[in-house]
Amino acid sequence: MTTKEKIMDVALHMFSERGYEAVSIRDICGEVGIKESTLYYHFKNKKDILDSLTAKFREHIEGLLGGVDEIADEPAAEGQEFVGEKMMDTYMMDSYLFEPFCNLMIRLMMIEQFHNEEIRELYEKTMFTDPYEIQMDIFMRLAKAGTFTENEAKWLVRDYHAYMNMLTYKYLLNGELTEERKQRYAKEVHEYMQRIMKRQ
Amino acid sequence: MTTKEKIMDVALHMFSERGYEAVSIRDICGEVGIKESTLYYHFKNKKDILDSLTAKFREHIEGLLGGVDEIADEPAAEGQEFVGEKMMDTYMMDSYLFEPFCNLMIRLMMIEQFHNEEIRELYEKTMFTDPYEIQMDIFMRLAKAGTFTENEAKWLVRDYHAYMNMLTYKYLLNGELTEERKQRYAKEVHEYMQRIMKRQ
DNA sequence: ACTCTTCTCTAACAATCGTTAGAGAGGCAG
DNA sequence: CTGCCTCTCTAACGATTGTTAGAGAAGAGT
């Protein structure tokens, strides 16, 4: 890992725990093991570190969104109750919510949305707008498959979205992201979907 | 309004917009129109201002919770669909979420939960634990009244709680709290309850 | 007239913040 | 060997932060 990468890694860990303002350049340099002026060789100022992190995150997200369609079109694998849903959830989990870099970035955005307009927008896009669109797409497929009516789907996706957010905050965005908490999250998501599918 | 009250008022407005750390003693004093040393006559340090605000909020909340039982026991007034629910919602809205001091305190806690353990606990209590308990109580009353089964009620209250949170963040905890946004919030809450009552 | 209390001021303090100028160390190309 | 480029260092800068010592002003009670 290069010095620049190490700086970004340490900064991300600290920012996502204490917030951008609460972390000083000296904190980061102390942890990395360099002098402050060395940091300024790699980044033009403190904001530049944050900007580099969000830029990296943006690229990561674009990559994910680029591959979403082919995954959604895959037929349901064995052990899955319906097309798209569980596949999409593991996709949403393993390569986004559970993925270490993304998880820390989400925590960082969650804290910093109140101090930074650009981050607020990115946070809303990557945690609300984009997921909602994907979830809506899935529910509409299920509606077309006859699982429920289109009107029901429109309401259900809102309920689902709100509930997923609650679970995400509860299990994935505070404290350490342990294997146990991931599994409990996945289990509750699964239970929720089972409930939805049964009731109709 | 005394100087001390004015300080707390200005501090609350600033803290709830920019966060505790981002607001300096000089910012507050400039807005109030006093010198820094005058502030230190009324508060022993910066943290003391925050503590005074949370103490005042705690008292406010205790007063609200103290009166919750008698309100829940009132019979449904005309124009209401079911006992307790709408009454409780206006109670939750008018004297809590819409109430200016509480609304600003919630915003402050929402930002500061990530930098302050005590505020994190207060935030979870006043925005999750307490409301959930009250909502559970209402849904259990509805279950006993035969509107749905107790098992259904346990799931419905989770859905309801998650959905209310989403609406609260969407309408009440960002930007200016206008009369229009309050009404849109109330309307969506109402629609949600109608949907729940119909489906059973 | 006097003191005592309450409140506000002037003027500074030390600590920490982000940031920079400039010197050295090491490797690679000529 | 020389010069150049990349990277890291020492050492400081000015600005801002929370905080304090101590002096005045105004009113109430004696």
Side-chain angles (χ1 to χ4, degrees):
Chain A
M1 199 157 34
T2 69
T3 302
K4 185 163 186 174
E5 288 168 339
K6 212 179 289 179
I7 292 172
M8 285 177 69
D9 185 59
V10 167
L12 175 56
H13 275 85
M14 289 184 167
F15 289 164
S16 65
E17 262 201 2
R18 293 187 261 153
Y20 175 75
E21 291 273 10
V23 174
S24 75
I25 295 287
R26 283 168 181 83
D27 289 333
I28 299 171
C29 293
E31 182 68 26
V32 175
I34 55 171
K35 293 296 167 186
E36 298 95 274
S37 46
T38 302
L39 186 145
Y40 280 91
Y41 174 77
H42 297 284
F43 298 92
K44 72 178 223 269
N45 51 34
K46 190 186 178 185
K47 180 94 188 311
D48 190 26
I49 306 173
L50 187 60
D51 290 340
S52 300
L53 285 170
T54 61
K56 183 179 169 187
F57 182 65
R58 278 207 156 87
E59 287 173 22
H60 196 112
I61 292 299
E62 273 180 37
L64 284 181
L65 288 179
V68 77
D69 280 334
E70 55 182 281
I71 289 179
D73 285 331
E74 283 180 16
E78 51 183 323
Q80 296 183 6
E81 284 107 50
F82 30 86
V83 178
E85 188 277 327
K86 202 188 171 190
M87 187 62 218
M88 183 51 70
D89 269 338
T90 47
Y91 179 69
M92 185 86 178
M93 292 180 205
D94 292 336
S95 48
Y96 186 50
L97 297 175
F98 293 176
E99 199 278 320
F101 172 71
C102 289
N103 187 277
L104 290 179
M105 277 303 300
I106 295 170
R107 291 172 190 234
L108 161 54
M109 293 188 302
M110 185 173 57
I111 301 175
E112 229 47 50
Q113 60 173 314
F114 305 107
H115 308 88
N116 185 316
E117 187 59 35
E118 187 203 338
I119 287 190
R120 180 181 206 99
E121 284 169 22
L122 186 59
Y123 180 67
E124 292 202 348
K125 170 178 156 50
T126 56
M127 285 296 282
F128 295 89
T129 318
D130 288 346
Y132 188 82
E133 205 169 306
I134 293 172
Q135 287 155 7
M136 178 67 95
D137 187 62
I138 292 176
F139 276 80
M140 279 306 168
R141 283 167 197 257
L142 289 171
K144 282 207 174 62
T147 314
F148 28 69
T149 70
E150 281 211 1
N151 194 44
E152 280 172 335
K154 279 182 188 169
W155 285 112
L156 284 174
V157 70
R158 292 198 203 183
D159 291 348
Y160 176 81
H161 183 255
Y163 202 87
M164 286 309 105
N165 272 342
M166 194 186 71
L167 291 181
T168 305
Y169 289 125
K170 186 174 174 186
Y171 292 116
L172 307 181
L173 299 179
N174 59 77
E176 207 188 338
L177 184 62
T178 62
E179 212 55 44
E180 191 216 345
R181 301 185 81 197
K182 290 187 205 170
Q183 282 172 15
R184 287 179 64 180
Y185 174 82
K187 188 183 154 222
E188 292 212 26
V189 171
H190 202 220
E191 280 175 2
Y192 186 88
M193 278 312 292
Q194 276 189 321
R195 180 155 61 90
I196 281 188
M197 302 302 284
K198 256 190 230 159
R199 218 195 297 173
Q200 307 306 321
Chain B
M1 198 157 35
T2 67
T3 301
K4 184 162 186 172
E5 287 168 339
K6 212 178 291 177
I7 292 171
M8 285 177 68
D9 186 59
V10 167
L12 176 56
H13 275 85
M14 289 185 165
F15 289 165
S16 65
E17 262 202 0
R18 291 187 262 154
Y20 174 76
E21 291 272 10
V23 174
S24 76
I25 296 287
R26 282 168 181 83
D27 289 334
I28 299 171
C29 293
E31 181 69 28
V32 174
I34 56 171
K35 293 296 168 185
E36 298 94 273
S37 45
T38 302
L39 185 146
Y40 280 90
Y41 174 79
H42 297 285
F43 298 92
K44 73 177 221 271
N45 50 34
K46 190 185 178 186
K47 180 92 187 312
D48 190 27
I49 306 174
L50 187 60
D51 291 340
S52 301
L53 285 170
T54 60
K56 184 180 170 186
F57 181 65
R58 278 207 155 88
E59 287 173 22
H60 196 111
I61 292 298
E62 273 181 36
L64 284 182
L65 288 178
V68 76
D69 280 335
E70 55 183 282
I71 289 178
D73 286 331
E74 283 178 18
E78 50 183 323
Q80 297 182 4
E81 283 107 51
F82 30 84
V83 179
E85 188 276 327
K86 202 188 170 189
M87 188 63 219
M88 183 53 68
D89 269 338
T90 48
Y91 179 69
M92 185 84 179
M93 291 181 205
D94 292 336
S95 46
Y96 186 48
L97 296 174
F98 293 176
E99 199 279 322
F101 172 71
C102 288
N103 187 277
L104 291 179
M105 277 302 300
I106 295 170
R107 292 171 189 235
L108 162 54
M109 293 188 302
M110 185 173 56
I111 301 174
E112 228 47 50
Q113 61 172 313
F114 305 108
H115 308 87
N116 186 315
E117 186 60 33
E118 187 202 338
I119 287 190
R120 181 181 205 100
E121 283 169 22
L122 186 59
Y123 179 68
E124 292 203 348
K125 170 178 155 51
T126 56
M127 284 297 281
F128 295 88
T129 318
D130 288 347
Y132 188 82
E133 204 168 307
I134 293 172
Q135 287 155 6
M136 178 66 95
D137 187 63
I138 292 176
F139 276 79
M140 279 306 166
R141 282 167 198 258
L142 289 171
K144 282 207 173 64
T147 314
F148 26 67
T149 71
E150 283 210 359
N151 194 45
E152 280 173 334
K154 280 182 187 169
W155 286 111
L156 284 174
V157 70
R158 292 197 202 183
D159 291 347
Y160 176 80
H161 182 254
Y163 202 87
M164 286 310 104
N165 273 342
M166 194 187 70
L167 291 181
T168 305
Y169 289 124
K170 186 175 175 185
Y171 292 116
L172 307 181
L173 299 180
N174 59 77
E176 208 189 339
L177 183 62
T178 62
E179 211 55 46
E180 191 216 346
R181 301 186 81 198
K182 289 186 205 170
Q183 282 172 15
R184 286 180 63 181
Y185 174 82
K187 188 183 154 223
E188 291 213 27
V189 171
H190 202 219
E191 280 176 1
Y192 186 87
M193 277 312 291
Q194 277 188 320
R195 181 155 60 94
I196 279 187
M197 302 302 284
K198 255 189 228 158
R199 218 195 298 173
Q200 307 306 324

